[in-house]
Amino acid sequence: MTGSDVAGEDAEGYAGLRIERARELARRHGWASVRVLEPGQLITLEYREGRLNLAVRDGVVERSWEG
């Protein structure tokens, strides 16, 4: 199973988790890659199938999405 095979709501279910736990769960759910984004970090906006994005603050996921 790859991240793209996981239901879309799975990509959004990481908010509130500590980053280490979110990465662990992402691996279990088959995400091909996980991108951690700190506040104010510049990012590219290209869509990558199978990538989980985690916006974090103080080690806690505030938002998560696929691509």
Side-chain angles (χ1 to χ4, degrees), residues 11-57:
E12 299 171 5
Y14 295 84
L17 297 176
R18 301 241 6 115
I19 191 168
E20 299 83 9
R21 179 71 175 140
R23 282 183 169 163
E24 177 186 333
L25 287 174
R27 279 193 302 273
R28 285 188 193 174
H29 289 140
W31 290 98
S33 67
V34 177
R35 179 167 65 167
V36 176
L37 306 164
E38 298 288 340
Q41 180 178 340
L42 296 176
I43 64 170
T44 58
L45 296 178
E46 82 281 359
Y47 179 85
R48 296 256 174 116
E49 188 174 316
R51 177 173 66 190
L52 179 66
N53 296 291
L54 302 174
V56 301
R57 182 181 306 274

